[in-house]
Amino acid sequence: MQTVSCPGCGAAVVFRSHASVMAVCEYCKTTVLKDADSVKDFGKMSAVLEDYSPLQIGSSGVFGGRAFDVIGRIQLRYAAGMWNEWYLLFEDGSAAWLGDSSGQYTLTTEKTASNKLPAFADIVVAQTYEIAGLSYLAAEVRIADCIGGQGELPFKVGPGWQAKLADFRHGSNFLTLDYSDVVQASDDSKVDQPALYIGKAVTLSELKFQLLRDEDVIKASAGKFRGKITSLNCPACGSNMDYLPGLTANVICSRCHSQLDSSGTVAQVLASADRMSKLNTTLELGAKATISANSYQIIGLMKRKDDENTVWTEYLLYSARAGFLWLIETNQGWAKSQVLADWPLWYHGESATLANKSYGKLYEYQAKVIYAAGAFNWRVVVGDSLKAIEFGNGIRKLAAEISADEITWSLSTPVAADQIRAWFGDNIKADKAGKFANAEETIATLSPQFIFWLLLFNAIPLLSDFESNWWVVGLGVAAIYYPAKFLGPAGKGDE
C-alpha cells in the first residue's frame, strides 16, 4: 500500500495495489498518475454517474475461496447504453474485473493467449471462434467511451479514452478481447494481440458481497435511487415521463415519440418523430404488479412485427429487488421472458442445449420495432430490425435475437390470462378486460337448446341399443344441459 498527496488538492490518495498506475482523487477528481516514486496530475476525471448499482468502492466479497475488495471503477458508454467495470483486488495480490450491466454480472481475469486471436474488424456477432480451448460464440462487438472513473485503476484512462471490446460466450463461460491498446503497423504487416480476459457469469450472492450500498445510501446519492421511478420533462414537447436514473438511459416520449438520452445531467433529444396518438395496449406504462412476491412496474413497452406482419406487444417490467422481466402479449396468449446470463450451447444447428435439455428449432424471422414508448436499458429505435430464432422444449421457449453488434438469449414460459389479471388487477384497461374471459364467454354464448340438440345428434348411435344405454344418454344430457342453462345468457342470475 502506498499513500501519496493529490497534486490537485493535497488530499491523501491511497494506492492499495502495486499494479495500479492511476487513481482518482476522491475529493477533487484529479487523475493521479503513479510514476516510480513520484506522482503526476493527469487532469480532471469526470465523476461517475451514481446509478442503481449496489456496488461501491470498498465493497468486499469472496470468489474461489479468496477474499477481494472493490478498489476502482470505470464507467463506459456505447451506442446502445452504458455499464460499469469494477476493478477487484484479491488478498493474494491478483486482480480481476467485474462487469456490471443492467443487473447482470461477469467476473474475468487477464490470461495469456496461447494462439493467435482474431482481429477486431474480423469478428462477426453470432459466429463461433476457437479461443483458449473452447468454441465461443461472439456475443457483442462495441467501441465505448470512458465517461467516468473512480478509485484505483491498472491503466491510464481519461477524457477521449475509448475501449474496443469483443465479448464471447460458452454457456456460463465468458471471455473478453480488449483491443483498446492494440497498435497496427501502417503496412498491415503486424498487429498486436489484444488483451485476453476469461471468466464466467456470476451473481452478487454467489460472490458473497459485503458492504454493498443500501437503498437509503443510494437514495442519498444525488437522488439516484435503485428502483425509484423519477419524473422527467420531455425537452421536445414538455410531456412528463417516468424513468429510472442511471439505469434506463434511453427514454422514448409516449406523446411526441422523441428519443431522449437521460444518462447525463440534462436529458437530450436524440431523435424526434411526428406526434403519435397513444397506443391502445392491454397494459399501460406505469402499471404495477406483484409477481413471485416482488413488486414490478411497467417502465417500457414496444410493438414489433415479423415478416408476415404478425404484430405483438412486449412490456418491460422492473423490480428494485428482482431486476428486469419481460411480458409478451401475442394473439396466442401471454408469456413471461427472462434474459439469460447462462447461455445455451448453439452452433447454428437445428437445436440448442440449455441445462442438458435440447431445444428444437421452431422459427426464424425478422423482428421489426414499429412502436416504442417509455424507458429501456438499451437504445430502442422505431424501425430497428433484427433476426430472431426460436427453439422449443415442451412449453418452454428459447429465443436468440441477433443484430449486427450483439446477440442476446432469453427463456420464456406461457402465462395464463387469468394470471395476468391476478397480477395486474385494476391496472388492466377496462376495454381490454373482456379478452381475459374469452373461454367463459364462449361457453356462455352457447344456448342450452343448441347444446341439447348437439348432444342428441351425437347420441344417435347409442339409441340403437337404447334399452341398455338410455341411462347413459340421460346422464350426459343432464350433465351438459343444466350447467349450460345456468351459465347461459338467460341464466346469469348473479349479474
Side-chain angles (χ1 to χ4, degrees):
M1 182 180 296
Q2 180 182 5
T3 302
V4 300
S5 295
C6 172
C9 69
V13 177
V14 178
F15 286 88
R16 296 185 55 187
S17 171
H18 292 296
S20 298
V21 299
M22 68 163 280
V24 180
C25 177
E26 180 182 353
Y27 299 97
C28 70
K29 306 306 178 186
T30 294
T31 301
V32 182
L33 292 182
K34 184 173 65 174
D35 182 13
D37 293 327
S38 63
V39 294
K40 298 178 181 178
D41 185 340
F42 190 58
K44 301 290 186 181
M45 170 65 86
S46 296
V48 294
L49 173 68
E50 287 299 345
D51 56 15
Y52 70 99
S53 180
L55 296 170
Q56 63 180 340
I57 303 296
S59 294
S60 60
V62 178
F63 180 74
R66 298 178 301 151
F68 65 81
D69 294 311
V70 178
I71 65 170
R73 160 166 66 157
I74 57 174
Q75 204 165 59
L76 297 151
R77 177 178 174 182
Y78 66 119
M82 57 184 291
W83 82 99
N84 294 308
E85 291 285 348
W86 299 91
Y87 187 47
L88 313 183
L89 178 64
F90 284 85
E91 58 186 351
D92 60 5
S94 61
W97 287 95
L98 181 64
D100 171 8
S101 176
S102 297
Q104 291 195 329
Y105 302 92
T106 55
L107 190 147
T108 59
T109 56
E110 188 169 8
K111 303 292 184 181
T112 301
S114 58
N115 58 330
K116 185 173 177 58
L117 299 172
F120 184 75
D122 294 337
I123 298 173
V124 178
V125 167
Q127 296 300 311
T128 55
Y129 296 84
E130 293 292 330
I131 306 174
L134 282 178
S135 293
Y136 283 92
L137 196 70
E140 189 170 0
V141 180
R142 61 190 180 277
I143 298 176
D145 295 311
C146 178
I147 61 172
Q150 191 179 17
E152 295 179 53
L153 296 169
F155 47 76
K156 185 171 66 177
V157 298
W161 185 81
Q162 285 189 322
K164 296 174 65 176
L165 306 168
D167 292 338
F168 300 80
R169 297 267 192 165
H170 178 99
S172 63
N173 295 297
F174 186 86
L175 182 148
T176 294
L177 297 181
D178 185 352
Y179 296 82
S180 306
D181 297 322
V182 169
V183 178
Q184 182 169 332
S186 58
D187 60 358
D188 293 335
S189 60
K190 180 180 180 299
V191 178
D192 293 341
Q193 287 276 75
L196 170 65
Y197 297 87
I198 297 179
K200 59 176 292 189
V202 293
T203 63
L204 295 187
S205 59
E206 180 184 353
L207 296 178
K208 301 177 182 178
F209 260 108
Q210 302 290 325
L211 302 177
L212 295 174
R213 294 197 299 165
D214 59 32
E215 293 185 352
D216 290 337
V217 171
I218 298 173
K219 184 176 182 180
S221 204
K224 309 304 188 188
F225 175 40
R226 184 183 184 190
K228 177 186 177 184
I229 308 297
T230 300
S231 294
L232 170 73
N233 290 326
C234 174
C237 71
S239 297
N240 186 267
M241 300 176 295
D242 291 335
Y243 80 112
L244 289 165
L247 177 60
T248 50
N250 186 59
V251 186
I252 300 174
C253 178
S254 59
R255 183 180 177 190
C256 72
H257 214 59
S258 293
Q259 186 178 3
L260 312 178
D261 178 7
S262 61
S263 62
T265 55
V266 179
Q268 297 179 344
V269 178
L270 298 177
S272 182
D274 294 333
R275 291 176 179 263
M276 300 178 64
S277 59
K278 193 170 184 180
L279 199 65
N280 188 21
T281 55
T282 303
L283 302 173
E284 294 182 314
L285 285 174
K288 297 179 180 179
T290 300
I291 304 173
S292 301
N294 293 310
S295 297
Y296 282 90
Q297 183 171 357
I298 296 178
I299 62 171
L301 65 85
M302 64 178 173
K303 280 190 173 288
R304 298 207 282 183
K305 69 176 182 179
D306 62 15
D307 308 321
E308 299 178 352
N309 290 320
T310 299
V311 177
W312 67 94
T313 307
E314 299 183 8
Y315 303 90
L316 178 59
L317 286 70
Y318 178 74
S319 163
R321 292 177 55 190
F324 292 104
L325 178 70
W326 286 94
L327 287 179
I328 304 170
E329 180 186 12
T330 72
N331 54 12
Q332 302 297 316
W334 293 81
K336 180 175 67 172
S337 181
Q338 195 86 44
V339 175
L340 292 174
D342 291 352
W343 281 24
L345 298 179
W346 174 63
Y347 301 103
H348 297 272
E350 295 299 306
S351 65
T353 303
L354 178 66
N356 296 320
K357 293 183 179 179
S358 180
Y359 291 72
K361 186 175 179 180
L362 300 173
Y363 318 107
E364 182 173 334
Y365 54 91
Q366 289 293 125
K368 183 178 181 179
V369 178
I370 59 174
Y371 179 90
F376 298 88
N377 55 334
W378 84 102
R379 185 162 297 174
V380 177
V381 179
V382 173
D384 277 357
S385 181
L386 51 76
K387 181 166 72 172
I389 307 176
E390 293 186 17
F391 302 82
N393 180 314
I395 62 173
R396 292 171 167 258
K397 284 185 180 180
L398 283 173
E401 296 191 350
I402 306 170
S403 68
D405 304 316
E406 184 180 12
I407 175 174
T408 60
W409 283 92
S410 59
L411 179 66
S412 64
T413 54
V415 177
D418 283 346
Q419 184 64 71
I420 298 293
R421 182 167 52 186
W423 284 342
F424 287 92
D426 294 339
N427 286 307
I428 296 173
K429 288 184 182 178
D431 61 337
K432 294 283 187 177
K435 72 183 293 183
F436 293 93
N438 285 341
E440 298 172 8
E441 291 177 357
T442 300
I443 294 175
T445 55
L446 296 176
S447 70
Q449 291 80 9
F450 174 79
I451 295 177
F452 177 84
W453 288 109
L454 181 64
L455 178 62
L456 184 61
F457 175 78
N458 285 278
I460 289 176
L462 293 176
L463 297 180
S464 61
D465 190 13
F466 185 79
E467 290 184 0
S468 59
N469 292 309
W470 68 268
W471 63 274
V472 177
V473 177
L475 183 62
V477 170
I480 293 186
Y481 178 82
Y482 285 103
K485 179 178 180 180
F486 291 106
L487 286 173
K492 294 185 179 179
D494 58 345
E495 287 191 347

